[in-house]
Amino acid sequence: MTTALNAMIHGRVLQPGNDDYDSSRSVWNAMVDRRPRYIVQCSETADVVAAVRFATDHGLDVGIRCGGHGIVGHAVPEDGLMIDLRPMGEVSIDARARRARVQGGALLGALDAAAQAVGLATTAGNVSHTGVGGLTLGGGMGWLARQHGLSCDNVVSFEIVTAAGETLRASADSHPDLYWALRGGGGNFGVVTEFEFALHPEPGLALTAEFRYPVTGARDAMRRWRDLNDDAPRQATYSATIADATVALGLVWVGDPGDGDAQVSALAEGLAEAAGPQSSAIERWSYVDLQRREDDIEAHAWRRYWKGHYFSELGDEVIDAVLERDGDDLPNVSLQAYGGAIAEIPDEQTAFSGRDTAFEFVAASKWHDAAEDERRMSAARRYAATMDRFANGVYVNALADEGVAGVRRAYSDAKLERLSTVKRHYDPGNVFHHNQNITPSAG
């Protein structure tokens, strides 16, 4: 089998015992420690086709790796075949047409840098070492989303290798059902080997502001921060974090810095009406550096677990629940505002769900010692569960180990039915099931 696979692949095939095997099977979440039988490091689309056909011919589970940031580690199938797209990481920019062609193994930092070199950008997450593929197929929230829509909203076309080993181009005019499903339906429908993105003029200037409070004294300020978000310009994305006993209320501004200064001043004045912060930090960035700002915080080699929610409103009771931080080993919290261009796209236009979201909530823990696994995960589950009654869904990319119940939270019944129909057409045998899985409909 190994000889036959090597003969089909122009890239590299790794097996246990080979140099680079262990580093190649390691992903962002250090809790993931599975051993694929083969790791196929694809150098071109033909390698992906060959790998898919080989796996299906030999009954091997398939995982797809790009950035490897998925919290569950679906990219790493035990005793299966990992399709490693990282060698296919090129980004090419057509400045005149305002288009980017991005190979399936590219990271967000490569897209940001290439587009900004000609004064353009598209929505691309918040961490530069995230994979373009996983982010975009699930939706793709980022600091430009309130201005330009989600990452998936900016995809003009996809090149995809299906379960049958066929290479298709999906767009509004070609395989429109697949094009709809790929914009938010996750990696359920094949291996995307190229994304074509629409780009937008962006000056490359950014501003961040944080006003820090003790958790026990943040209630009124957080309510005021929420209210100020209602009238925020699209260049501003209101965000908050809670780490240990500190709440940071603030915003990220991408656009004209003079207008950003005015928005930060308005936020500072508004918060002062509630209570003055203990400290504040206002920083200026290039857009590319903004996109790298959280790279160290979200570094590889940590053990990780998280839980997520969508809130259609951040009511007083929700704020009180978020600030109730009794207990040990509690996860850090992030809140990020939606709205703007995200909400303006009709819900039925894409598989992505949650366009009526006001704020996305994520409770995330990271640690090094495996002996802490159950304690850390249990604390995150308990804390996030106190917010269950306020939630109206979840971002599919924020799902962890919820399984079928999580997928049902991420999509409406109508969208799940439609996604299952598309799945039946393009992957009737559920070859691509190492994901937040959508099963094929019965027909």
Side-chain angles (χ1 to χ4, degrees):
M1 285 174 59
T2 303
T3 301
L5 180 58
N6 273 296
M8 300 164 68
I9 301 297
H10 294 93
R12 299 173 70 202
V13 178
L14 302 178
Q15 290 184 269
N18 291 157
D19 291 343
D20 300 332
Y21 173 82
D22 283 327
S23 61
S24 297
R25 72 184 178 89
S26 298
V27 288
W28 178 69
N29 185 355
M31 292 181 70
V32 178
D33 186 23
R34 295 190 286 272
R35 301 177 66 82
R37 190 182 306 182
Y38 302 105
I39 298 175
V40 180
Q41 296 185 324
C42 300
S43 63
E44 57 188 26
T45 298
D47 283 353
V48 178
V49 171
V52 170
R53 289 178 174 171
F54 181 89
T56 55
D57 287 347
H58 293 88
L60 295 171
D61 274 0
V62 176
I64 306 163
R65 178 175 186 165
C66 178
H69 268 238
I71 192 74
V72 184
H74 286 131
V76 193
E78 181 67 34
D79 198 35
L81 186 149
M82 176 200 287
I83 295 175
D84 187 350
L85 296 175
R86 288 176 298 168
M88 299 173 60
E90 292 184 7
V91 177
S92 61
I93 305 295
D94 184 335
R96 179 174 295 180
R98 295 181 183 170
R99 292 287 187 270
R101 288 190 178 271
V102 181
Q103 286 191 307
L107 302 184
L108 298 182
L111 171 57
D112 289 331
Q116 273 289 281
V118 291
L120 300 171
T122 196
T123 305
N126 301 345
V127 178
S128 75
H129 49 74
T130 305
V132 171
L135 177 94
T136 302
L137 292 172
M141 182 57 182
W143 301 124
L144 293 176
R146 283 172 45 82
Q147 295 185 63
H148 304 306
L150 301 164
S151 302
C152 70
D153 298 329
N154 287 280
V155 179
V156 178
S157 68
F158 303 84
E159 181 186 82
I160 182 171
V161 176
T162 68
E166 298 177 312
T167 303
L168 305 177
R169 177 70 64 172
S171 68
D173 300 318
S174 177
H175 304 285
D177 56 340
L178 182 59
Y179 179 61
W180 175 86
L182 289 170
R183 289 179 295 156
N188 275 280
F189 308 97
V191 185
V192 176
T193 51
E194 184 184 83
F195 299 81
E196 180 187 4
F197 286 98
L199 301 175
H200 310 274
E202 281 295 340
L205 301 172
L207 186 67
T208 60
E210 289 186 344
F211 300 88
R212 302 186 185 103
Y213 296 80
V215 168
T216 54
R219 182 179 180 224
D220 291 342
M222 195 165 184
R223 291 179 177 184
R224 185 67 179 131
W225 167 85
R226 169 205 62 199
D227 295 342
L228 290 165
N229 171 73
D230 292 343
D231 298 318
R234 294 178 181 218
Q235 297 94 324
T237 303
Y238 273 49
S239 62
T241 59
I242 305 175
D244 299 322
T246 300
V247 179
L249 305 173
L251 61 82
V252 174
W253 177 274
V254 182
D256 181 87
D259 293 337
D261 288 336
Q263 184 65 23
V264 170
S265 295
L267 174 58
E269 292 171 6
L271 291 176
E273 295 174 7
Q278 285 186 328
S279 64
S280 62
I282 299 169
E283 297 181 86
R284 299 179 185 279
W285 309 80
S286 71
Y287 177 69
V288 171
D289 285 339
L290 170 71
Q291 293 291 84
R292 297 171 178 154
R293 180 178 68 142
E294 298 181 19
D295 282 5
D296 289 342
I297 297 171
E298 301 298 342
H300 287 65
W302 289 84
R303 305 177 79 81
R304 294 181 180 272
Y305 187 78
W306 65 36
K307 301 291 281 187
H309 291 306
Y310 277 153
F311 296 138
S312 58
E313 61 178 0
L314 200 64
D316 291 351
E317 286 187 275
V318 183
I319 289 174
D320 291 346
V322 169
L323 294 175
E324 186 61 48
R325 300 279 291 174
D326 289 340
D328 297 324
D329 300 318
L330 290 177
N332 293 342
V333 170
S334 66
L335 287 163
Q336 189 165 346
Y338 277 44
I342 303 168
E344 289 180 350
I345 293 173
D347 181 69
E348 67 275 6
Q349 188 167 309
T350 66
F352 176 82
S353 299
R355 294 192 182 275
D356 59 346
T357 297
F359 286 91
E360 182 191 352
F361 162 97
V362 176
S365 293
K366 66 177 185 179
W367 64 98
H368 281 305
D369 187 352
E372 298 179 22
D373 286 358
E374 186 54 41
R375 191 173 79 246
R376 294 279 192 164
M377 292 190 293
S378 294
R381 292 183 189 118
R382 286 195 305 271
Y383 177 72
T386 65
M387 265 65 75
D388 282 351
R389 65 191 188 279
F390 306 116
N392 68 319
V394 63
Y395 180 26
V396 70
N397 282 351
L399 288 174
D401 52 358
E402 296 90 343
V404 173
V407 173
R408 290 194 174 279
R409 288 187 64 214
Y411 303 101
S412 67
D413 289 346
K415 283 196 176 181
L416 268 179
E417 183 178 357
R418 185 174 176 185
L419 285 164
S420 294
T421 299
V422 177
K423 178 78 168 180
R424 184 183 77 234
H425 185 78
Y426 293 97
D427 184 14
N430 205 10
V431 169
F432 301 109
H433 61 269
H434 281 274
N435 44 47
Q436 299 296 347
N437 194 233
I438 295 162
T439 56
S441 64

